[in-house]
């Protein structure tokens, strides 16, 4: 999905500093996109069975904690063993309905009939060559009426200079979202800072969608 003249064989690779990131965001609340999706489910007829969410790129668990708190079953996935170790050590979770996996997006396999796939600030870190397969896995796993919520990066994001980050133009995003009804599609395009305090231009899509 990446495009644009800046992508060449010599494009730099993104420097991953996940452990520093986990330290920096420790104690932060769940993402607004997740809260909106959970709220939308709560207005629907309550399911007789326990609902199942997949929290992709769960990190140290800021979103997983909230989904468990709302009595869902959660499959929390992250490619970084330290993320899963930190999540499992948390004292503020009940692990009865938590399954954790150290798995990279490039090898992701999901069960069928998932109610929610949450992917906060993580899918862009899937290498572009593997993104289409990852997205297909997510869409296929969701039941009709299930939701995806999370974030993708737009093509004006300053990290689009990195060859191993996936970013999407607005038309590309609309194509990805074709199997869904859009409940939130909010685009941010402004200078800001990362969680580690570095300056960057954010071109970000905040997404909550419901599978048709
Ligand atoms: C920016 S953090 C987001 C963590 C959390 N979801 C949040 O909102 O704070 C991105 C997470 O994605 C994970 N990640 C990055 N690339 C990945 C990949 N290719 N496969 C699996 N996980 C990956 C990282 O280990 C990290 O925990």
């Amino acid at each position: 999905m990446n495009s644009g003249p800046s992508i060449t064989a010599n494009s730099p690779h993104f420097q991953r500093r996940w452990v520093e990131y986990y330290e920096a965001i420790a104690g932060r609340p769940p993402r607004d996109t997740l809260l909106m999706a959970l709220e939308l489910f709560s207005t629907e007829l309550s399911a007789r069975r326990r609902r199942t969410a997949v929290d992709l790129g769960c990190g140290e668990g800021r979103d997983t904690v909230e989904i468990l708190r709302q009595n869902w079953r959660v499959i929390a996935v992250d490619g970084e063993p330290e993320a899963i170790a930190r999540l499992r050590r948390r004292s503020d979770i009940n692990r009865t309905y938590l399954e954790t996996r150290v798995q990279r997006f490039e090898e992701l396999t999901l069960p069928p009939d998932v109610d929610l796939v949450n992917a906060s600030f993580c899918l862009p870190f899937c290498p572009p060559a593997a993104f289409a397969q990852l997205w297909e896995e997510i869409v296929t796993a969701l039941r009709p009426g299930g939701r995806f919520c999370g974030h993708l990066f737009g093509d004006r994001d300053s990290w689009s200079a990195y060859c191993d980050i996936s970013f999407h133009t607005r038309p590309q995003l609309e194509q990805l979202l074709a199997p869904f009804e859009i409940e939130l599609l909010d685009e941010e395009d402004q200078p800001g800072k990362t969680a580690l305090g570095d300056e960057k231009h954010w071109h970000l899509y905040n997404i909550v969608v419901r599978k048709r």
Side-chain angles (χ1 to χ4, degrees), residues 14 16 18-19 21-22 25 28-31 55-64 77-81 83-84 102-108 118-127 134 151 153 159 195 202:
F14 181 70
R16 289 163 164 75
W18 297 131
V19 175
Y21 175 84
Y22 306 144
I25 63 141
R28 298 253 186 111
R31 302 285 184 180
D55 188 10
L56 291 178
C58 61
E60 45 71 71
R62 65 191 285 180
D63 287 346
T64 296
V77 182
D78 203 287
E80 193 67 44
I84 298 298
V102 177
Q103 191 172 40
R104 294 193 60 78
F105 300 146
E106 298 88 312
E107 282 102 43
L108 185 72
N118 177 60
S120 294
F121 284 87
C122 62
L123 295 189
F125 302 107
C126 175
L134 169 64
H151 311 89
F153 290 166
W159 284 351
W202 288 103

Short mmCIF file of all heavy atoms in Angstrom, two decimals, residues 14 16 18-19 21-22 25 28-31 55-64 77-81 83-84 102-108 118-127 134 151 153 159 195 202, ligand 1:
data_model
loop_
_atom_site.label_atom_id
_atom_site.label_comp_id
_atom_site.label_asym_id
_atom_site.label_seq_id
_atom_site.Cartn_x
_atom_site.Cartn_y
_atom_site.Cartn_z
N PHE A 14 12.58 2.00 10.46
CA PHE A 14 12.11 2.59 11.71
C PHE A 14 12.84 1.93 12.88
O PHE A 14 12.96 0.71 12.94
CB PHE A 14 10.61 2.38 11.83
CG PHE A 14 10.01 2.97 13.08
CD1 PHE A 14 9.92 4.34 13.24
CD2 PHE A 14 9.53 2.15 14.09
CE1 PHE A 14 9.37 4.88 14.38
CE2 PHE A 14 8.98 2.69 15.24
CZ PHE A 14 8.90 4.06 15.38
N ARG A 16 12.83 0.64 16.37
CA ARG A 16 11.81 0.22 17.33
C ARG A 16 12.35 0.28 18.75
O ARG A 16 13.34 -0.36 19.06
CB ARG A 16 11.34 -1.20 16.98
CG ARG A 16 10.50 -1.18 15.72
CD ARG A 16 10.34 -2.53 15.07
NE ARG A 16 9.23 -2.50 14.10
CZ ARG A 16 9.31 -1.93 12.90
NH1 ARG A 16 10.41 -1.36 12.49
NH2 ARG A 16 8.26 -1.93 12.09
N TRP A 18 10.42 -0.33 21.77
CA TRP A 18 9.14 -0.64 22.41
C TRP A 18 9.23 -0.63 23.93
O TRP A 18 8.30 -0.20 24.61
CB TRP A 18 8.59 -1.98 21.91
CG TRP A 18 8.28 -1.99 20.45
CD1 TRP A 18 8.65 -2.93 19.54
CD2 TRP A 18 7.51 -1.02 19.71
NE1 TRP A 18 8.17 -2.60 18.29
CE2 TRP A 18 7.48 -1.44 18.36
CE3 TRP A 18 6.86 0.17 20.05
CZ2 TRP A 18 6.82 -0.71 17.37
CZ3 TRP A 18 6.21 0.89 19.06
CH2 TRP A 18 6.20 0.45 17.74
N VAL A 19 10.34 -1.10 24.49
CA VAL A 19 10.40 -1.15 25.96
C VAL A 19 10.36 0.27 26.54
O VAL A 19 9.64 0.54 27.51
CB VAL A 19 11.63 -1.96 26.43
CG1 VAL A 19 11.74 -1.90 27.95
CG2 VAL A 19 11.51 -3.41 25.97
N TYR A 21 8.91 2.69 25.12
CA TYR A 21 7.52 3.11 24.92
C TYR A 21 6.63 2.59 26.04
O TYR A 21 5.81 3.33 26.59
CB TYR A 21 7.03 2.59 23.55
CG TYR A 21 5.58 2.87 23.28
CD1 TYR A 21 5.15 4.09 22.78
CD2 TYR A 21 4.61 1.90 23.56
CE1 TYR A 21 3.80 4.35 22.56
CE2 TYR A 21 3.26 2.15 23.34
CZ TYR A 21 2.87 3.37 22.83
OH TYR A 21 1.54 3.62 22.62
N TYR A 22 6.80 1.30 26.42
CA TYR A 22 5.95 0.74 27.49
C TYR A 22 6.16 1.52 28.79
O TYR A 22 5.21 1.77 29.53
CB TYR A 22 6.25 -0.75 27.72
CG TYR A 22 6.14 -1.62 26.49
CD1 TYR A 22 7.00 -2.70 26.30
CD2 TYR A 22 5.19 -1.36 25.50
CE1 TYR A 22 6.93 -3.49 25.16
CE2 TYR A 22 5.11 -2.15 24.35
CZ TYR A 22 5.99 -3.20 24.19
OH TYR A 22 5.92 -3.97 23.06
N ILE A 25 4.34 5.00 28.55
CA ILE A 25 2.87 5.10 28.57
C ILE A 25 2.24 4.34 29.74
O ILE A 25 1.01 4.27 29.84
CB ILE A 25 2.25 4.60 27.25
CG1 ILE A 25 2.57 3.11 27.03
CG2 ILE A 25 2.69 5.43 26.06
CD1 ILE A 25 1.40 2.40 26.44
N ARG A 28 -1.39 4.85 31.38
CA ARG A 28 -2.30 5.68 30.55
C ARG A 28 -3.64 4.96 30.36
O ARG A 28 -3.70 3.74 30.34
CB ARG A 28 -1.69 5.94 29.17
CG ARG A 28 -0.39 6.71 29.22
CD ARG A 28 -0.57 8.15 28.75
NE ARG A 28 0.74 8.77 28.68
CZ ARG A 28 1.33 9.12 27.55
NH1 ARG A 28 0.73 8.91 26.40
NH2 ARG A 28 2.52 9.69 27.55
N PRO A 29 -4.72 5.74 30.17
CA PRO A 29 -6.06 5.13 30.02
C PRO A 29 -6.25 4.48 28.66
O PRO A 29 -5.45 4.70 27.75
CB PRO A 29 -6.99 6.35 30.18
CG PRO A 29 -6.17 7.51 29.75
CD PRO A 29 -4.74 7.20 30.10
N PRO A 30 -7.33 3.70 28.51
CA PRO A 30 -7.61 3.08 27.21
C PRO A 30 -7.84 4.12 26.12
O PRO A 30 -8.22 5.26 26.41
CB PRO A 30 -8.87 2.25 27.45
CG PRO A 30 -9.36 2.59 28.80
CD PRO A 30 -8.31 3.35 29.54
N ARG A 31 -7.65 3.68 24.88
CA ARG A 31 -7.82 4.58 23.73
C ARG A 31 -9.30 4.93 23.51
O ARG A 31 -10.17 4.07 23.71
CB ARG A 31 -7.30 3.89 22.46
CG ARG A 31 -5.84 3.47 22.55
CD ARG A 31 -4.93 4.63 22.43
NE ARG A 31 -3.53 4.21 22.41
CZ ARG A 31 -2.52 5.06 22.32
NH1 ARG A 31 -2.75 6.36 22.24
NH2 ARG A 31 -1.28 4.62 22.30
N ASP A 55 -6.97 -8.11 20.86
CA ASP A 55 -6.26 -6.84 21.03
C ASP A 55 -4.89 -6.99 20.36
O ASP A 55 -3.97 -7.58 20.92
CB ASP A 55 -6.11 -6.49 22.52
CG ASP A 55 -5.55 -5.08 22.72
OD1 ASP A 55 -5.46 -4.32 21.73
OD2 ASP A 55 -5.22 -4.74 23.88
N LEU A 56 -4.80 -6.47 19.14
CA LEU A 56 -3.55 -6.60 18.37
C LEU A 56 -2.54 -5.55 18.82
O LEU A 56 -2.92 -4.40 19.08
CB LEU A 56 -3.83 -6.43 16.88
CG LEU A 56 -4.64 -7.54 16.22
CD1 LEU A 56 -4.88 -7.20 14.75
CD2 LEU A 56 -3.93 -8.88 16.34
N GLY A 57 -1.27 -5.92 18.88
CA GLY A 57 -0.24 -4.97 19.30
C GLY A 57 -0.60 -4.41 20.67
O GLY A 57 -0.53 -3.20 20.90
N CYS A 58 -0.95 -5.32 21.57
CA CYS A 58 -1.53 -4.91 22.87
C CYS A 58 -0.56 -4.14 23.74
O CYS A 58 -0.98 -3.46 24.69
CB CYS A 58 -2.04 -6.14 23.61
SG CYS A 58 -0.73 -7.34 23.98
N GLY A 59 0.75 -4.24 23.46
CA GLY A 59 1.72 -3.55 24.31
C GLY A 59 1.61 -4.03 25.74
O GLY A 59 1.39 -5.23 26.00
N GLU A 60 1.72 -3.08 26.70
CA GLU A 60 1.66 -3.50 28.10
C GLU A 60 0.22 -3.60 28.61
O GLU A 60 0.01 -3.90 29.78
CB GLU A 60 2.53 -2.61 28.99
CG GLU A 60 2.42 -1.13 28.74
CD GLU A 60 1.09 -0.57 29.20
OE1 GLU A 60 0.87 -0.48 30.42
OE2 GLU A 60 0.26 -0.19 28.33
N GLY A 61 -0.75 -3.36 27.71
CA GLY A 61 -2.11 -3.76 28.03
C GLY A 61 -3.11 -2.68 28.37
O GLY A 61 -4.17 -2.97 28.91
N ARG A 62 -2.83 -1.44 27.98
CA ARG A 62 -3.74 -0.37 28.40
C ARG A 62 -5.16 -0.61 27.90
O ARG A 62 -6.13 -0.24 28.58
CB ARG A 62 -3.22 1.01 27.95
CG ARG A 62 -3.17 1.19 26.46
CD ARG A 62 -2.42 2.45 26.05
NE ARG A 62 -3.15 3.69 26.26
CZ ARG A 62 -2.67 4.89 25.96
NH1 ARG A 62 -1.44 5.00 25.46
NH2 ARG A 62 -3.37 5.97 26.14
N ASP A 63 -5.32 -1.19 26.71
CA ASP A 63 -6.66 -1.48 26.19
C ASP A 63 -7.18 -2.83 26.68
O ASP A 63 -8.36 -2.97 27.01
CB ASP A 63 -6.64 -1.48 24.65
CG ASP A 63 -6.53 -0.08 24.07
OD1 ASP A 63 -6.71 0.91 24.81
OD2 ASP A 63 -6.23 0.03 22.86
N THR A 64 -6.30 -3.83 26.74
CA THR A 64 -6.72 -5.16 27.20
C THR A 64 -7.39 -5.08 28.57
O THR A 64 -8.42 -5.71 28.82
CB THR A 64 -5.50 -6.10 27.27
OG1 THR A 64 -4.97 -6.27 25.96
CG2 THR A 64 -5.87 -7.47 27.82
N VAL A 77 -2.41 -10.00 21.60
CA VAL A 77 -1.33 -10.42 20.71
C VAL A 77 -0.29 -9.31 20.60
O VAL A 77 -0.64 -8.15 20.40
CB VAL A 77 -1.88 -10.71 19.28
CG1 VAL A 77 -0.77 -11.19 18.35
CG2 VAL A 77 -3.03 -11.70 19.31
N ASP A 78 0.97 -9.67 20.71
CA ASP A 78 2.04 -8.71 20.44
C ASP A 78 3.28 -9.48 19.99
O ASP A 78 3.53 -10.59 20.47
CB ASP A 78 2.36 -7.87 21.69
CG ASP A 78 3.01 -6.54 21.33
OD1 ASP A 78 4.20 -6.56 20.93
OD2 ASP A 78 2.35 -5.49 21.42
N GLY A 79 4.04 -8.88 19.10
CA GLY A 79 5.25 -9.53 18.60
C GLY A 79 6.41 -9.45 19.58
O GLY A 79 7.43 -10.13 19.40
N GLU A 80 6.27 -8.64 20.60
CA GLU A 80 7.37 -8.37 21.53
C GLU A 80 7.14 -9.16 22.82
O GLU A 80 6.18 -8.87 23.56
CB GLU A 80 7.34 -6.86 21.83
CG GLU A 80 8.54 -6.30 22.51
CD GLU A 80 9.78 -6.34 21.66
OE1 GLU A 80 9.73 -6.00 20.46
OE2 GLU A 80 10.81 -6.73 22.21
N PRO A 81 8.00 -10.13 23.14
CA PRO A 81 7.79 -10.92 24.37
C PRO A 81 7.66 -10.04 25.61
O PRO A 81 6.88 -10.33 26.52
CB PRO A 81 9.04 -11.81 24.44
CG PRO A 81 9.53 -11.90 23.03
CD PRO A 81 9.16 -10.61 22.37
N ALA A 83 6.25 -7.18 25.93
CA ALA A 83 4.90 -6.62 26.05
C ALA A 83 3.99 -7.62 26.77
O ALA A 83 3.29 -7.28 27.73
CB ALA A 83 4.33 -6.30 24.67
N ILE A 84 4.05 -8.86 26.32
CA ILE A 84 3.17 -9.89 26.89
C ILE A 84 3.58 -10.17 28.34
O ILE A 84 2.72 -10.34 29.21
CB ILE A 84 3.23 -11.17 26.03
CG1 ILE A 84 2.73 -10.88 24.60
CG2 ILE A 84 2.45 -12.30 26.68
CD1 ILE A 84 1.28 -10.41 24.52
N VAL A 102 2.54 -14.33 21.88
CA VAL A 102 3.64 -13.60 21.24
C VAL A 102 3.61 -14.02 19.78
O VAL A 102 3.92 -15.17 19.45
CB VAL A 102 5.00 -13.95 21.88
CG1 VAL A 102 6.13 -13.21 21.14
CG2 VAL A 102 5.01 -13.59 23.36
N GLN A 103 3.14 -13.13 18.93
CA GLN A 103 3.00 -13.47 17.51
C GLN A 103 3.14 -12.20 16.69
O GLN A 103 2.59 -11.16 17.05
CB GLN A 103 1.61 -14.11 17.27
CG GLN A 103 1.45 -14.73 15.92
CD GLN A 103 0.13 -15.51 15.80
OE1 GLN A 103 -0.92 -15.08 16.29
NE2 GLN A 103 0.18 -16.64 15.15
N ARG A 104 3.85 -12.31 15.59
CA ARG A 104 4.01 -11.15 14.72
C ARG A 104 2.83 -11.04 13.76
O ARG A 104 2.22 -12.05 13.40
CB ARG A 104 5.33 -11.26 13.94
CG ARG A 104 6.55 -11.18 14.86
CD ARG A 104 7.82 -10.97 14.06
NE ARG A 104 7.79 -9.75 13.28
CZ ARG A 104 7.99 -8.53 13.77
NH1 ARG A 104 8.25 -8.37 15.05
NH2 ARG A 104 7.95 -7.48 12.99
N PHE A 105 2.52 -9.82 13.39
CA PHE A 105 1.40 -9.61 12.47
C PHE A 105 1.61 -10.37 11.16
O PHE A 105 0.65 -10.81 10.54
CB PHE A 105 1.26 -8.11 12.13
CG PHE A 105 1.00 -7.24 13.33
CD1 PHE A 105 1.51 -5.95 13.39
CD2 PHE A 105 0.23 -7.70 14.39
CE1 PHE A 105 1.26 -5.14 14.47
CE2 PHE A 105 -0.03 -6.88 15.49
CZ PHE A 105 0.49 -5.60 15.53
N GLU A 106 2.86 -10.52 10.78
CA GLU A 106 3.16 -11.18 9.51
C GLU A 106 2.76 -12.65 9.53
O GLU A 106 2.61 -13.27 8.48
CB GLU A 106 4.67 -11.10 9.21
CG GLU A 106 5.22 -9.69 9.03
CD GLU A 106 5.66 -9.03 10.34
OE1 GLU A 106 4.90 -9.07 11.33
OE2 GLU A 106 6.76 -8.47 10.36
N GLU A 107 2.59 -13.22 10.74
CA GLU A 107 2.21 -14.64 10.85
C GLU A 107 0.86 -14.80 11.56
O GLU A 107 0.53 -15.90 12.02
CB GLU A 107 3.26 -15.42 11.67
CG GLU A 107 4.53 -15.77 10.91
CD GLU A 107 5.68 -14.85 11.27
OE1 GLU A 107 5.86 -14.56 12.46
OE2 GLU A 107 6.37 -14.40 10.34
N LEU A 108 0.10 -13.74 11.63
CA LEU A 108 -1.12 -13.77 12.46
C LEU A 108 -2.17 -14.75 11.91
O LEU A 108 -2.45 -14.76 10.72
CB LEU A 108 -1.74 -12.37 12.50
CG LEU A 108 -2.93 -12.22 13.43
CD1 LEU A 108 -2.49 -12.28 14.89
CD2 LEU A 108 -3.67 -10.91 13.16
N ASN A 118 -9.37 -4.93 18.08
CA ASN A 118 -8.85 -3.62 18.48
C ASN A 118 -7.37 -3.57 18.09
O ASN A 118 -6.62 -4.50 18.38
CB ASN A 118 -8.99 -3.47 20.00
CG ASN A 118 -8.40 -2.17 20.51
OD1 ASN A 118 -8.83 -1.09 20.12
ND2 ASN A 118 -7.40 -2.26 21.39
N ALA A 119 -6.98 -2.49 17.43
CA ALA A 119 -5.58 -2.39 16.99
C ALA A 119 -5.15 -0.93 17.16
O ALA A 119 -5.24 -0.13 16.23
CB ALA A 119 -5.43 -2.84 15.54
N SER A 120 -4.71 -0.60 18.38
CA SER A 120 -4.35 0.78 18.68
C SER A 120 -2.89 1.05 18.35
O SER A 120 -1.99 0.43 18.94
CB SER A 120 -4.59 1.07 20.17
OG SER A 120 -5.95 1.01 20.49
N PHE A 121 -2.66 1.95 17.42
CA PHE A 121 -1.30 2.43 17.09
C PHE A 121 -0.33 1.27 16.86
O PHE A 121 0.80 1.30 17.36
CB PHE A 121 -0.77 3.33 18.22
CG PHE A 121 -1.38 4.70 18.20
CD1 PHE A 121 -2.57 4.95 18.86
CD2 PHE A 121 -0.78 5.73 17.49
CE1 PHE A 121 -3.17 6.20 18.82
CE2 PHE A 121 -1.36 6.99 17.45
CZ PHE A 121 -2.55 7.23 18.11
N CYS A 122 -0.75 0.29 16.11
CA CYS A 122 0.15 -0.85 15.91
C CYS A 122 0.18 -1.37 14.48
O CYS A 122 1.25 -1.78 14.01
CB CYS A 122 -0.19 -1.98 16.88
SG CYS A 122 -1.85 -2.61 16.65
N LEU A 123 -0.94 -1.38 13.76
CA LEU A 123 -0.92 -1.99 12.43
C LEU A 123 0.07 -1.35 11.47
O LEU A 123 0.65 -2.04 10.62
CB LEU A 123 -2.33 -1.99 11.80
CG LEU A 123 -3.39 -2.82 12.51
CD1 LEU A 123 -4.66 -2.88 11.65
CD2 LEU A 123 -2.90 -4.22 12.81
N PRO A 124 0.33 -0.03 11.56
CA PRO A 124 1.33 0.55 10.64
C PRO A 124 2.71 -0.08 10.78
O PRO A 124 3.53 0.01 9.86
CB PRO A 124 1.35 2.03 11.03
CG PRO A 124 -0.01 2.29 11.58
CD PRO A 124 -0.37 1.02 12.33
N PHE A 125 2.96 -0.74 11.93
CA PHE A 125 4.28 -1.34 12.11
C PHE A 125 4.38 -2.72 11.45
O PHE A 125 5.42 -3.38 11.55
CB PHE A 125 4.64 -1.40 13.60
CG PHE A 125 4.62 -0.03 14.22
CD1 PHE A 125 3.62 0.36 15.08
CD2 PHE A 125 5.59 0.90 13.86
CE1 PHE A 125 3.57 1.65 15.61
CE2 PHE A 125 5.56 2.19 14.38
CZ PHE A 125 4.55 2.56 15.26
N CYS A 126 3.33 -3.14 10.79
CA CYS A 126 3.41 -4.34 9.94
C CYS A 126 4.10 -3.93 8.65
O CYS A 126 3.70 -2.94 8.02
CB CYS A 126 2.00 -4.85 9.65
SG CYS A 126 1.97 -6.23 8.49
N PRO A 127 5.10 -4.67 8.21
CA PRO A 127 5.78 -4.29 6.97
C PRO A 127 4.79 -4.25 5.80
O PRO A 127 3.87 -5.07 5.73
CB PRO A 127 6.81 -5.41 6.77
CG PRO A 127 6.99 -6.02 8.12
CD PRO A 127 5.69 -5.86 8.84
N LEU A 134 -2.51 -9.41 6.37
CA LEU A 134 -2.93 -9.12 7.75
C LEU A 134 -4.36 -8.57 7.77
O LEU A 134 -5.21 -9.00 8.56
CB LEU A 134 -1.96 -8.10 8.37
CG LEU A 134 -2.38 -7.48 9.70
CD1 LEU A 134 -2.46 -8.53 10.80
CD2 LEU A 134 -1.40 -6.37 10.11
N HIS A 151 -6.19 2.42 14.69
CA HIS A 151 -5.53 3.53 13.98
C HIS A 151 -4.72 3.02 12.80
O HIS A 151 -4.13 1.95 12.87
CB HIS A 151 -4.59 4.27 14.94
CG HIS A 151 -5.24 4.61 16.24
ND1 HIS A 151 -5.24 3.76 17.32
CD2 HIS A 151 -5.97 5.69 16.61
CE1 HIS A 151 -5.93 4.31 18.31
NE2 HIS A 151 -6.37 5.47 17.91
N PHE A 153 -1.93 4.90 9.69
CA PHE A 153 -1.21 6.12 9.35
C PHE A 153 -1.53 6.53 7.91
O PHE A 153 -1.62 5.69 7.02
CB PHE A 153 0.30 5.92 9.45
CG PHE A 153 0.83 5.76 10.85
CD1 PHE A 153 2.12 5.28 11.06
CD2 PHE A 153 0.06 6.09 11.96
CE1 PHE A 153 2.63 5.13 12.34
CE2 PHE A 153 0.57 5.94 13.25
CZ PHE A 153 1.85 5.46 13.44
N TRP A 159 6.56 9.53 9.39
CA TRP A 159 7.17 8.19 9.40
C TRP A 159 6.99 7.45 8.07
O TRP A 159 7.52 6.35 7.90
CB TRP A 159 6.60 7.37 10.55
CG TRP A 159 7.17 7.76 11.88
CD1 TRP A 159 8.22 8.60 12.11
CD2 TRP A 159 6.72 7.32 13.17
NE1 TRP A 159 8.44 8.72 13.46
CE2 TRP A 159 7.54 7.94 14.14
CE3 TRP A 159 5.70 6.47 13.61
CZ2 TRP A 159 7.37 7.74 15.51
CZ3 TRP A 159 5.54 6.26 14.98
CH2 TRP A 159 6.37 6.89 15.91
N ALA A 195 5.14 9.48 22.01
CA ALA A 195 5.11 9.19 23.46
C ALA A 195 6.50 9.35 24.08
O ALA A 195 6.63 9.57 25.27
CB ALA A 195 4.59 7.78 23.68
N TRP A 202 2.00 13.98 12.54
CA TRP A 202 1.03 12.89 12.60
C TRP A 202 0.02 13.02 11.47
O TRP A 202 -0.63 14.06 11.34
CB TRP A 202 0.25 12.93 13.93
CG TRP A 202 1.03 12.54 15.13
CD1 TRP A 202 1.54 13.37 16.07
CD2 TRP A 202 1.35 11.20 15.56
NE1 TRP A 202 2.19 12.64 17.04
CE2 TRP A 202 2.08 11.31 16.76
CE3 TRP A 202 1.10 9.93 15.03
CZ2 TRP A 202 2.56 10.19 17.44
CZ3 TRP A 202 1.58 8.82 15.71
CH2 TRP A 202 2.31 8.96 16.90
C1 LIG B 1 2.95 1.89 19.57
S1 LIG B 1 2.79 0.35 20.39
C2 LIG B 1 1.04 0.36 20.78
C3 LIG B 1 0.73 -0.38 22.04
C4 LIG B 1 -0.70 -0.22 22.53
N1 LIG B 1 -1.64 -0.84 21.61
C5 LIG B 1 -1.04 1.23 22.70
O1 LIG B 1 -2.02 1.71 22.14
O2 LIG B 1 -0.35 1.92 23.44
C6 LIG B 1 2.89 -0.80 19.06
C7 LIG B 1 2.88 -2.26 19.51
O3 LIG B 1 2.83 -3.08 18.36
C8 LIG B 1 3.75 -4.14 18.50
N2 LIG B 1 4.22 -4.51 17.15
C9 LIG B 1 4.90 -3.71 16.29
N3 LIG B 1 5.16 -4.37 15.16
C10 LIG B 1 4.62 -5.60 15.30
C11 LIG B 1 4.52 -6.74 14.44
N4 LIG B 1 5.05 -6.73 13.20
N5 LIG B 1 3.90 -7.83 14.91
C12 LIG B 1 3.34 -7.84 16.16
N6 LIG B 1 3.39 -6.80 17.00
C13 LIG B 1 4.01 -5.69 16.58
C14 LIG B 1 4.88 -3.59 19.34
O4 LIG B 1 5.58 -4.63 20.00
C15 LIG B 1 4.14 -2.65 20.28
O5 LIG B 1 3.80 -3.29 21.49
#
